[in-house]
Amino acid sequence: MSDLTLSPTWHALKEERKAWKALHLRTLFARDRKRAERFSLQLDDLLLDYSKNLIRPQTLKLLVKLAREAGVESLRDAMFGGEKINLTEGRAVLHTALRNRSDRPVLVDGADVMPGVREVLGRMGAFVGKVRTGKWKGFAPRGQGAKAITDVVNIGIGGSDLGPAMACLALRPYGGNIRAHFVSNVDPSHLVDTLEDLNPATTLFIVASKTFTTQETLLNAQAARTWLLDWAGDAKAVARHFVAVSTNEAAVGEFGIDPANMFGFWDWVGGRYSLWSAIGLPIALYVGMDAFEELLAGAFDMDEHFRAAPLEANMPVLLALLGLWYNNFWDADSYAVLPYEQRLARFPAYLQQLDMESNGKGVTRDGRPVKVSTGPIVFGEPGTNGQHAFYQLIHQGTKLIPCDFIAAAESHNDLNGQHAVLLSNFLAQPEALMRGKTAAEVETELAMAGLGKREIKALLPHKVFPGNRPTNTLLYRRLTPRTLGRLIALYEHKVFVQSALWNVNAYDQWGVELGKQLAKAILPELTGAATARPGAHDASTAALIATLSAALRSS
Ligand code: F6P
């Protein structure tokens, strides 16, 4: 792909940015009564209102043109078509095959992957059925009866944790008789605190790791096995209380989990795109297989929309282009995801991995340094909590932080009209960010409140809101498995489109390797099993190792 920044469209967007020095959204809304309608898009009950963005029709035209020039459509078709677009790992990128609800085959190296996908889904369904109905029993120590499973503990990290943990919290109203827990951190407190209230007789562990080499996961899994065996006193218990989800059958066997209790997936599923695979097993155990399939169906809805809708009416494409507009033409380094839905509390953390591990890249797909800023910093918290924490900076700070506001029209539990209060805040914040408050408005307000001239003069600059701060509003009827599937797939494809625009590989993550390598060398030095060779570390790291190794020895 040729350098996009050299294209006349890129240049025209720079000019368009200059024009915005004299534009304010408040005026544009006043001038164009149809602005909200013009800049909204609906997919079934999912509404994207992007009218409070710093765009006008010509901005959007240029952005869409840029997407065409970047070859977004052909890269999208290559991805869905099973081409090995993950160049550095020589892999296809086919999380979309995992939720392919059509009978279209999906070919990798000429072979259809769909029979394998369906086979694993079938095995998951059978297992989930047995566990949820109590037919799958735990181990029975001598003299005790076998008990049904009540608690599932997923041991995994990154993509083998964040998606399922986020989804289980989001889908709590669909949860049944099985409780789901997630242990990811190698900090022993995570496992210890989780196991504290659990009964080994009724606990099932899922060891989830694509590679089955991840240090944190293997250590936690070993500790969990010890906990189980301390109770059972018999290694046979492992087969009743441990299952694995992985692509690495040999390592699963070596760990001591019967391959009959393993659910596989494939190298063409990236870790952070894997919740649709058997990595979603804790979700299926928690909400049941039908609801899990609804989640897949929601993602499939978005896949079909993404494949077929013209770029100018394509939700993931629009979100991606708006993100690029701020990132590359407004120097916005970050964006905030603000779900007005407490059960989406882990959604920002999930998106952090999805977006930052995918597009946090400094070289192009062919290994040359990128010329423009790439993946943004993602952060967020549920509203209204965030309002009482970091919104100050978004309203009046010196940085431009585009925000995505997300909410459901209906709550699963309305309590004394609290949902309406939540929604009033959900609506007020984007309005405030867009409109701002002028000096004249502040002055009138303060005068009406009885303040004198001197007081008004002193307070006025603090009370002005510049406005013109961009937001997207995403609204759906209710947070169902199908809606959640759509929402996740929307962001997955947004991230993909941005990677195509920046010409970076969204599907590798070499940046996580160096720290892991160094930690491997430091561990024996910390525990005293080895001494560092002179000059192996900088003075700061060497002194810290000495301090901590002394602390470890004396504790
Ligand atoms: O360290 C990063 C990473 O490789 C992520 O990309 C991945 O989701 C996570 O670790 C866990 O990997 P695995 O599923 O192989 O244990």
Side-chain angles (χ1 to χ4, degrees):
M1 189 182 89
S2 60
D3 185 350
L4 253 203
T5 62
L6 300 177
S7 103
T9 314
W10 190 276
H11 183 73
L13 279 162
K14 277 189 172 168
E15 293 302 309
E16 175 64 7
R17 166 69 185 88
K18 284 185 202 153
W20 267 88
K21 289 198 172 124
L23 293 173
H24 199 289
L25 279 173
R26 203 191 249 234
T27 330
L28 296 187
F29 267 102
R31 266 196 228 144
D32 178 4
R33 287 169 161 262
K34 293 214 155 144
R35 186 175 168 90
E37 200 182 309
R38 197 183 305 287
F39 294 133
S40 285
L41 199 59
Q42 183 109 21
L43 176 63
D44 201 354
D45 71 321
L46 179 64
L47 170 76
L48 166 66
D49 176 344
Y50 57 100
S51 61
K52 295 192 189 81
N53 276 287
L54 303 168
I55 53 164
R56 39 185 193 165
Q58 55 264 54
T59 326
L60 212 55
K61 254 196 201 138
L62 287 170
L63 287 168
V64 169
K65 194 160 175 238
L66 196 71
R68 291 223 161 83
E69 287 170 6
V72 166
E73 287 148 305
S74 59
L75 198 64
R76 172 195 64 192
D77 296 344
M79 176 174 75
F80 278 96
E83 283 178 40
K84 298 193 173 161
I85 63 164
N86 176 357
L87 297 174
T88 60
E89 297 181 326
R91 290 174 182 167
V93 174
L94 278 177
H95 43 282
T96 49
L98 302 166
R99 60 227 192 182
N100 172 18
R101 306 274 97 188
S102 76
D103 48 19
R104 286 192 298 263
V106 179
L107 304 182
V108 176
D109 292 328
D112 185 9
V113 301
M114 288 314 299
V117 168
R118 292 192 192 104
E119 195 255 334
V120 174
L121 278 174
R123 284 189 56 227
M124 281 170 71
F127 179 69
V128 165
K130 278 195 242 162
V131 174
R132 286 172 58 91
T133 54
K135 280 193 195 122
W136 178 281
K137 296 270 191 290
F139 177 72
R142 204 178 287 261
Q144 292 178 35
K147 295 199 172 112
I149 299 299
T150 57
D151 292 85
V152 168
V153 180
N154 188 78
I155 300 181
I157 197 164
S160 301
D161 165 68
L162 287 163
M166 175 273 290
C168 285
L169 176 60
L171 300 179
R172 192 186 160 110
Y174 300 86
N177 49 351
I178 304 281
R179 283 182 294 262
H181 312 265
F182 293 85
V183 174
S184 50
N185 202 330
V186 75
D187 178 344
S189 307
H190 201 178
L191 183 70
V192 168
D193 292 353
T194 306
L195 297 184
E196 200 170 59
D197 299 325
L198 299 184
N199 175 0
T202 56
T203 299
L204 176 78
F205 293 97
I206 302 173
V207 186
S209 174
K210 179 178 171 184
T211 55
F212 227 78
T213 57
T214 304
Q215 187 188 38
E216 294 92 328
T217 301
L218 295 185
L219 286 171
N220 276 325
Q222 273 153 12
R225 186 171 54 182
T226 305
W227 178 79
L228 177 80
L229 294 185
D230 282 350
W231 161 77
D234 188 334
K236 282 201 208 92
V238 173
R240 307 304 305 162
H241 293 270
F242 272 82
V243 299
V245 180
S246 187
T247 57
N248 186 348
E249 189 171 334
V252 168
E254 249 167 63
F255 180 85
I257 296 178
D258 185 347
N261 289 346
M262 168 177 157
F263 299 86
F265 61 112
W266 303 271
D267 72 356
W268 41 260
V269 183
R272 52 194 173 275
Y273 298 85
S274 65
L275 77 90
W276 322 102
S277 71
I279 288 289
L281 187 61
I283 311 173
L285 283 164
Y286 182 60
V287 297
M289 202 62 194
D290 288 348
F292 182 69
E293 300 235 9
E294 270 293 293
L295 184 78
L296 302 185
F300 181 66
D301 295 339
M302 189 53 75
D303 293 344
E304 292 293 89
H305 165 77
F306 178 48
R307 288 174 82 148
L311 297 188
E312 37 282 286
N314 193 309
M315 255 190 222
V317 173
L318 288 173
L319 279 190
L321 288 171
L322 291 165
L324 171 132
W325 173 231
Y326 301 121
N327 197 47
N328 298 122
F329 296 91
W330 292 76
D331 297 328
D333 283 333
S334 64
Y335 76 96
V337 182
L338 309 167
Y340 278 63
E341 173 104 62
Q342 185 57 32
R343 290 189 180 127
L344 283 179
R346 296 294 288 158
F347 195 57
Y350 166 78
L351 285 184
Q352 278 175 338
Q353 187 198 15
L354 177 69
D355 203 327
M356 294 165 83
E357 204 173 68
S358 295
N359 286 342
K361 308 285 162 66
V363 292
T364 59
R365 283 156 56 79
D366 49 3
R368 284 170 298 133
V370 294
K371 292 214 179 122
V372 292
S373 167
T374 59
I377 301 158
V378 187
F379 73 101
E381 273 291 315
T384 58
N385 292 13
Q387 292 176 200
H388 300 273
F390 54 82
Y391 279 35
Q392 164 66 41
L393 186 150
I394 302 179
H395 281 284
Q396 287 186 316
T398 53
K399 295 178 171 60
L400 182 78
I401 305 188
C403 303
D404 289 354
F405 284 82
I406 303 174
E410 294 170 14
S411 169
H412 281 282
N413 359 256
D414 202 2
L415 212 58
N416 301 327
Q418 278 183 221
H419 188 61
V421 177
L422 180 77
L423 289 181
S424 65
N425 282 279
F426 162 75
L427 295 171
Q429 293 294 333
E431 187 177 40
L433 286 163
M434 183 278 284
R435 292 170 53 103
K437 197 188 267 185
T438 63
E441 284 170 336
V442 175
E443 202 170 343
T444 315
E445 204 175 273
L446 294 180
M448 303 249 296
L451 271 72
K453 275 213 165 119
R454 271 184 56 189
E455 280 173 301
I456 292 178
K457 197 174 168 214
L459 262 185
L460 193 125
H462 302 279
K463 293 207 148 225
V464 167
F465 287 71
N468 226 19
R469 307 222 156 176
T471 60
N472 288 307
T473 300
L474 278 158
L475 187 63
Y476 44 84
R477 196 173 70 79
R478 201 175 244 260
L479 187 57
T480 63
R482 193 147 189 152
T483 300
L484 183 66
R486 287 176 183 159
L487 205 56
I488 301 169
L490 169 63
Y491 280 94
E492 282 181 349
H493 294 320
K494 170 201 167 181
V495 167
F496 163 77
V497 172
Q498 292 190 330
S499 76
L501 290 160
W502 291 319
N503 192 23
V504 298
N505 181 1
Y507 301 107
D508 61 12
Q509 56 283 319
W510 301 106
V512 303
E513 297 299 331
L514 179 58
K516 287 188 197 173
Q517 235 171 40
L518 297 189
K520 234 184 218 163
I522 289 174
L523 179 61
E525 296 163 13
L526 260 188
T527 58
T531 20
R533 79 189 147 70
H537 303 288
D538 59 87
S540 155
T541 310
L544 290 166
I545 291 175
T547 307
L548 288 174
S549 133
L552 280 175
R553 264 179 277 125
S554 65
S555 67

